[in-house]
Amino acid sequence: MMAVLARSVLVTGSNRGIGLELVRQLAASPWPPHHIFATCRHPEGPRGKRRLHDLLEPSSPLLFAPPDTVNVPSIQGAVRAVDSHLKDQGLNLLINNAGVSSHATLHSLDSQEMLSVFATNVVGTLQEFLPLLEKAAKGAGKEGLSCSRAAVINVSTKLGSIGLCLGVLQAPMYPYRASKAAQNMVTRCLAVELQEKGILCAAIHPGWVKTDMGTEEAPLMVEHSVRGILTVLASLSQDTSGTFLDWEGNSLPW
Ligand code: NDP
């Protein structure tokens, strides 16, 4: 299996679900990153640090930063903590995984809910970590684009694909779908804008996964989804920056 060989990785929303499993598998890899920043908004809570510590080897290269991704000062605090830890090396891989769902329909949705879902799923950590990624891209001594040099990976969903427009009547989810379609556009624009700076950007659909969000009904185990995601990330390059892929590496329409 190909492995992500990034020196440093930051995962948002890492206290449960896909984020937690990303951290677990990265730490358990035969070539773990030197620095894994497992971020969550309530690190001291019952589903925070302690849970991660219980899951991981004591020697895991794990550090905590607590950004609530809708709170800019909290994100800025995390950026400072990560920067000071990494000294001048910058951050290689940012995985924007934190997300919220919403089952609001055309009739039940209200503007406040729409905006709050957008704040988490679209705005999130869009800007603040870019200087750290630029630093990593410059300092990596590597050419081309890859997750080991510098990359932003946005965890998206097929439900946000305008091209597919899947199952609207069964799962209208207006705020969630619209926010993920917007996040997809952000990914596409970032890929164009950051290419020259040596930063890869891509969107990834994890499949329908058994987590709190995906529910027990989902067909895919989180271990399986994340193994696929990490294999896909390891394979990304200049040619696949700016694409929307699923956990098996299949290309999806935006
Ligand atoms: P979960 O609901 O299990 O976990 C969501 C994570 O996001 C939690 O760690 C949660 O933290 C965190 N989070 C939410 N809001 C914020 C915030 N404001 N600041 C910081 N962290 C926040 O979801 P999944 O693991 O299933 O989903 C992860 C990603 O995968 C999401 O982006 C989702 O849209 C996407 N996805 C999931 C699918 C699935 O079937 N599961 C399918 C397609 C896409 P807290 O515990 O503090 O709430």
Side-chain angles (χ1 to χ4, degrees):
M1 176 179 137
M2 288 173 83
V4 174
L5 297 176
R7 196 168 186 286
S8 55
V9 181
L10 187 146
V11 181
T12 64
S14 63
N15 56 314
R16 56 191 170 103
I18 294 168
L20 177 65
E21 183 62 16
L22 279 166
V23 168
R24 198 190 66 75
Q25 289 194 22
L26 282 165
S29 144
W31 306 276
H34 291 202
H35 309 278
I36 302 174
F37 297 95
T39 80
C40 60
R41 54 184 160 173
H42 305 301
E44 304 304 334
R47 302 178 93 178
K49 275 188 200 178
R50 202 161 309 129
R51 181 145 185 231
L52 273 163
H53 274 310
D54 289 347
L55 275 178
L56 301 173
E57 294 294 319
S59 59
S60 296
L62 193 65
L63 291 140
F64 293 94
D68 181 328
T69 61
V70 293
N71 177 330
V72 173
S74 145
I75 299 172
Q76 288 167 341
V79 171
R80 282 195 297 275
V82 170
D83 192 24
S84 99
H85 193 87
L86 292 175
K87 311 264 176 335
D88 283 326
Q89 286 162 332
L91 175 67
N92 299 108
L93 175 58
L94 169 64
I95 305 182
N96 287 315
N97 161 77
V100 283
S101 183
S102 159
H103 287 268
T105 66
L106 180 58
H107 299 293
S108 69
L109 75 85
D110 66 59
S111 57
Q112 207 39 55
E113 179 167 4
M114 196 86 172
L115 292 174
S116 123
V117 173
F118 262 66
T120 304
N121 292 357
V122 188
V123 187
T125 63
L126 174 59
Q127 295 165 309
E128 286 78 8
F129 282 101
L130 292 180
L132 298 195
L133 289 155
E134 281 181 40
K135 223 187 253 187
K138 277 192 204 135
K142 291 180 182 154
E143 293 298 311
L145 301 183
S146 68
C147 287
S148 58
R149 183 180 178 193
V152 179
I153 301 301
N154 289 329
V155 181
S156 182
T157 168
K158 253 180 167 176
L159 291 178
S161 163
I162 293 175
L164 292 172
C165 205
L166 287 170
V168 176
L169 301 181
Q170 297 76 32
M173 302 171 83
Y174 276 69
Y176 184 63
R177 284 171 177 265
S179 70
K180 290 292 185 175
Q183 185 203 37
N184 283 353
M185 189 66 197
V186 164
T187 308
R188 199 67 193 90
C189 293
L190 279 180
V192 173
E193 189 160 347
L194 299 183
Q195 175 166 356
E196 265 190 11
K197 295 184 166 155
I199 303 173
L200 179 151
C201 302
I204 192 142
H205 164 64
W208 182 17
V209 189
K210 272 190 211 307
T211 61
D212 294 340
M213 188 186 292
T215 77
E216 272 302 309
E217 265 181 67
L220 196 55
M221 298 301 288
V222 69
E223 297 79 6
H224 189 171
S225 161
V226 166
R227 204 171 312 122
I229 291 173
L230 291 176
T231 305
V232 172
L233 298 197
S235 74
L236 293 177
S237 67
Q238 190 108 14
D239 297 338
T240 38
S241 185
T243 54
F244 182 16
L245 302 169
D246 72 11
W247 83 105
E248 293 178 306
N250 302 306
S251 180
L252 297 171
W254 293 104

